[in-house]
Amino acid sequence: MKELASLRAEIDHLDKQLWTIIGKRVDVACQIGEWKRTHGEPVVQAQRYQQVLDHCLTHGKHYGLSEEVIVE
C-alpha cells in the first residue's frame, strides 16, 4: 500500500508540473493572440495549426499515445 501511495504522490507532483507548464503556454498563446489582433492577422493560421498537430502526433506517438487521443 505504501508503494501505491508513493506512486500516487508522484502522479500528483507531475500533474502540478503539467498545470504550471500549461498555464505558461496559455499566457504565451494570449500574447500571440494580442499580437495578431494588433497586426490584423487571422486568429487561426492553417499552416501553423498543421505544424503544431504534426509535432504533437510525432511526439505523442513516441510516448505511446494513439493518434485518436492526440487529435482529440
Side-chain angles (χ1 to χ4, degrees):
M1 198 66 171
K2 193 172 191 175
E3 181 181 345
L4 180 58
S6 177
L7 292 170
R8 287 179 174 163
E10 185 175 352
I11 289 283
D12 291 344
H13 177 73
L14 292 169
D15 285 348
K16 184 177 180 181
Q17 290 178 328
L18 283 170
W19 287 116
T20 299
I21 291 169
I22 289 169
K24 289 177 183 180
R25 188 185 191 286
V26 168
D27 289 343
V28 173
C30 288
Q31 291 175 38
I32 289 171
E34 182 61 25
W35 187 93
K36 286 180 177 183
R37 187 183 68 75
T38 61
H39 290 86
E41 292 288 328
V43 174
V44 177
Q45 296 171 317
Q47 183 180 0
R48 176 61 181 157
Y49 179 84
Q50 191 61 51
Q51 287 174 337
V52 171
L53 181 58
D54 291 345
H55 179 80
C56 289
L57 287 168
T58 298
H59 291 282
K61 286 178 183 178
H62 175 76
Y63 289 103
L65 298 172
S66 71
E67 184 171 333
E68 181 182 351
V69 168
I70 295 164
V71 170
E72 287 298 317

